[in-house]
Amino acid sequence: MAERNASPLGFVTRNSLLCLFSVASILFILSWLSVLRSTGRPRFIDHSLLPNSKLFAVTDNGNSESQNQNDIEPSIESEEKALEGKNSVKCGSNYPVLKVFMYDLPAEFHFGLLDWAPAGESVWPDIRTKFPLYPGGLNLQHSIEYWLTLDLLSSEFPENQNARAAIRVHNSSEADVIFVPFFSSLSYNHFGKFKGRQKKNENNLLQDKLVKFLTAQEEWIRSEGRDHIIMAHHPNSMLDARMKLWPAIFILSDFGRYPPNIANVGKDVIAPYKHVIKSFINDTSDFDSRPTLLYFQGAIYRKDGGFIRQELFYLLKDEKDVHFAFGNTQGNGINKASQGMHSSKFCLNIAGDTPSSNRLFDAIASHCVPVIISDEIELPYEDVLDYSQFCIFVRTSDALKDKFLIKLIRSIKKDEWTRMWRRLKEVENFFEFQYPSKEGDAVQMIWQAITRKVPAIRMKLHKSRRFSRSSVGRERVLNSMQLPKNFW
Ligand SMILES: *[C@@H]1O[C@H](CO)[C@@H](O)[C@H](O)[C@H]1NC(C)=O
Ligand SMILES: *[C@@H]1O[C@H](CO)[C@@H](O)[C@H](O)[C@H]1NC(C)=O
């Protein structure tokens, strides 16, 4: 397969399909082998799907201390080598880099919302010199839009090309996906209020404008939006536009406010909140040095979620070593909550008015084992990450039984807790948003989650074209549709 080098970035080539098939066969044999040799330790992360890992380094030796990809159990390694030799498979081992076309939307849709105004031709700030900061406080938890856009802009810099998960391309026919750089959460936070008797606020108007822009684009028309990436992390963002833009892939915090035909776990991508609690750097705590057993600090809502919170409060308020308090975490609250979570063994994450909240990601950053009571929650990258290794899940109906929750928590002893704590420290980087992005952080994990959607997008696109020959207007469709190089 020497000609593999001819298209190093091609996502679907005949060779890579062959390769994929061979790899799949090998994986199948390997998994069969490892079932035979199974030590009973649960598989933690499928390394083959993680950033820049070698495709063949799929065996996790269960030793949570060693994250080094080269630390493969020797005997399995030789089995792999033998198999590799037999099939003579040598193929690209890195995770494919996602090729992203980004619309040059006017600045009012993105950095303009951060009070930045273009000085010259470009709608983008020169992020090498100075770029606007995202507002702090609770705005930050939905700042995904900002980090992804910065990452795409910087992907054109020559530095650090190897450690990228996505690169910006300027020819949309060569792209895997089309990125819509609308800072919708910020637009909701800034402009979502109605003034006076206004029918539409500025956030509604901006969404209308976006729909008008997108549906007129050649890229949108040729795929009917199926390969478009639209960020709507705040549950209230894009409430208008989503009804028109639903064929696209949404990046969301959960599906709480979405009808399943508009958004679902098959089509869309769940992204973490940016945590507001400080990361626990140099955490040398242990089970015994964290005095609080179970910690909850949060708002109490009158809607659905509020009921559960109140019930749990009555169930837990008299238990020893339990901190259960209402009130938000703004201002000095954040410092206090950081202290509280850093000194607790378990942190409660209860459904609020939507199934998700940033509290889960605060708990992860604090290495406080999350206890999740939220039946409808969807979790980021769950196709490659097994949350049961570092979270406790409790059904709402169980949690509301007398003593159920506290008994369960008290039954988890030092050994098991320590294992989960260690895994939290291993996975925390997957939930870290930063610029520049680093290998395996939230920015790259989200791009890779999108990369894993690309085959399904292609499938939908191809199917949608089956009968285009017999339908009227085929000429027009074909003319507006330049097939990407690697389509076949
Ligand atoms: C963490 O530990 C390293 C090495 O001991 C030290 O250089 C660093 O300042 C520490 N950071 C914090 C925030 O304590
Ligand atoms: C964009 O890419 C397509 C497919 O590779 C190619 O045919 C086309 O000429 C390119 N367009 C431009 C403007 O470079």
Side-chain angles (χ1 to χ4, degrees):
M1 292 210 184
E3 46 324 346
R4 159 87 195 165
N5 288 339
S7 61
L9 296 175
F11 190 76
V12 175
T13 64
R14 185 181 297 267
N15 288 333
S16 62
L17 271 194
L18 266 177
C19 183
L20 202 69
F21 176 75
S22 320
V23 169
S25 321
I26 291 175
L27 286 182
F28 174 75
I29 297 168
L30 270 181
S31 61
W32 178 73
L33 278 175
S34 51
V35 165
L36 286 184
R37 337 169 1 109
S38 169
T39 56
R41 279 180 301 218
R43 229 341 231 296
F44 172 37
I45 290 171
D46 188 343
H47 283 297
S48 64
L49 296 170
L50 287 179
N52 289 340
S53 65
K54 301 275 180 245
L55 254 182
F56 286 101
V58 290
T59 49
D60 186 340
N61 61 10
N63 179 356
S64 41
E65 302 284 24
S66 77
Q67 265 191 302
N68 189 340
Q69 308 280 338
N70 299 324
D71 286 352
I72 304 168
E73 216 169 296
S75 52
I76 293 204
E77 185 174 35
S78 48
E79 277 160 22
E80 281 167 5
K81 283 240 171 78
L83 284 164
E84 196 175 344
K86 256 181 224 144
N87 289 282
S88 57
V89 176
K90 274 206 197 86
C91 44
S93 50
N94 286 344
Y95 212 94
V97 176
L98 185 69
K99 286 180 286 178
V100 184
F101 174 83
M102 175 161 70
Y103 288 119
D104 288 318
L105 282 180
E108 62 177 328
F109 288 99
H110 42 86
F111 288 96
L113 289 162
L114 298 167
D115 295 330
W116 175 83
E121 293 274 282
S122 175
V123 300
W124 301 110
D126 179 2
I127 61 172
R128 280 212 224 218
T129 51
K130 193 164 172 246
F131 55 88
L133 297 177
Y134 204 87
L138 289 180
N139 278 306
L140 258 187
Q141 56 182 337
H142 298 296
S143 55
I144 285 74
E145 47 203 26
Y146 176 74
W147 307 108
L148 291 185
T149 306
L150 283 180
D151 192 51
L152 272 189
L153 289 173
S154 74
S155 72
E156 297 186 279
F157 304 160
E159 305 90 58
N160 209 13
Q161 282 300 330
N162 301 329
R164 307 217 131 267
I167 52 164
R168 183 180 182 192
V169 298
H170 289 272
N171 181 341
S172 64
S173 302
E174 291 175 350
D176 297 314
V177 291
I178 313 289
F179 185 78
V180 181
F182 176 37
F183 292 180
S184 59
S185 299
L186 198 56
S187 170
Y188 171 75
N189 279 331
H190 278 196
F191 296 141
K193 299 239 159 46
F194 289 89
K195 290 183 200 127
R197 287 165 188 276
Q198 248 176 357
K199 262 214 185 107
K200 292 198 168 202
N201 57 37
E202 282 177 82
N203 176 43
N204 303 135
L205 295 174
L206 214 44
Q207 289 178 55
D208 290 350
K209 236 184 198 175
L210 182 73
V211 170
K212 211 162 159 199
F213 170 89
L214 281 181
T215 50
Q217 300 304 306
E218 177 194 315
E219 286 80 12
W220 182 277
I221 293 165
R222 76 178 171 213
S223 69
E224 292 174 321
R226 289 181 182 90
D227 55 0
H228 281 50
I229 307 291
I230 294 177
M231 298 168 289
H233 199 264
H234 192 296
N236 293 340
S237 62
M238 298 295 261
L239 286 188
D240 309 323
R242 67 190 194 182
M243 303 315 282
K244 308 215 171 74
L245 303 179
W246 58 267
I249 295 171
F250 293 121
I251 301 187
L252 304 172
S253 52
D254 60 50
F255 299 113
R257 304 243 165 102
Y258 281 78
N261 54 334
I262 301 293
N264 55 69
V265 75
K267 171 173 81 73
D268 303 297
V269 170
I270 295 293
Y273 291 61
K274 181 170 168 56
H275 60 85
V276 294
I277 293 290
K278 289 194 205 94
S279 295
F280 199 161
I281 300 163
N282 298 344
D283 175 8
T284 53
S285 71
D286 65 11
F287 189 76
D288 301 311
S289 72
R290 290 179 174 239
T292 306
L293 176 69
L294 183 59
Y295 182 92
F296 176 81
Q297 175 87 43
I300 185 153
Y301 295 95
R302 297 222 174 82
K303 282 186 275 181
D304 328 326
F307 164 75
I308 304 164
R309 290 179 181 203
Q310 226 152 16
E311 287 295 302
L312 282 172
F313 174 72
Y314 289 116
L315 287 171
L316 295 171
K317 68 181 171 36
D318 296 325
E319 294 291 342
K320 192 168 164 280
D321 301 333
V322 172
H323 170 98
F324 200 117
F326 294 117
N328 71 25
T329 47
Q330 261 171 317
N332 190 40
I334 292 186
N335 279 334
K336 276 178 93 179
S338 296
Q339 272 171 22
M341 288 187 155
H342 290 190
S343 55
S344 301
K345 298 179 179 72
F346 296 94
C347 285
L348 263 182
N349 182 75
I350 316 169
D353 56 355
T354 62
S356 70
S357 81
N358 70 321
R359 211 155 290 110
L360 169 63
F361 306 100
D362 286 340
I364 293 173
S366 309
H367 315 142
C368 176
V369 173
V371 177
I372 299 175
I373 305 175
S374 179
D375 300 346
E376 305 294 322
I377 197 168
E378 293 291 346
L379 297 162
Y381 351 114
E382 203 174 4
D383 53 343
V384 293
L385 199 56
D386 180 357
Y387 282 77
S388 72
Q389 302 293 315
F390 53 90
C391 295
I392 312 280
F393 291 87
V394 184
R395 284 189 194 89
T396 307
S397 55
D398 286 335
L400 295 179
K401 289 177 192 155
D402 195 31
K403 299 277 177 202
F404 183 96
L405 186 60
I406 197 71
K407 271 192 191 152
L408 178 76
I409 301 298
R410 290 200 200 281
S411 75
I412 298 168
K413 297 290 185 251
K414 185 169 180 170
D415 275 6
E416 195 179 352
W417 182 88
T418 306
R419 219 175 308 136
M420 296 181 118
W421 171 80
R422 234 183 246 136
R423 294 206 157 144
L424 282 170
K425 297 212 291 181
E426 290 170 357
V427 301
E428 66 178 329
N429 186 42
F430 299 158
F431 304 96
E432 224 40 78
F433 288 95
Q434 57 205 335
Y435 174 76
S437 79
K438 300 204 183 86
E439 199 174 328
D441 67 7
V443 172
Q444 303 209 357
M445 289 295 280
I446 292 170
W447 289 129
Q448 288 173 355
I450 295 171
T451 301
R452 294 192 292 276
K453 300 279 188 200
V454 169
I457 301 172
R458 293 267 155 94
M459 169 95 110
K460 275 197 262 179
L461 273 176
H462 294 170
K463 274 183 183 268
S464 74
R465 288 178 191 152
R466 282 182 178 184
F467 297 106
S468 53
R469 188 177 295 276
S470 51
S471 51
V472 199
R474 170 178 152 78
E475 283 305 300
R476 199 184 53 106
V477 173
L478 276 186
N479 285 339
S480 71
M481 189 171 66
Q482 279 181 314
L483 285 181
K485 237 197 256 147
N486 297 317
F487 259 77
W488 51 274

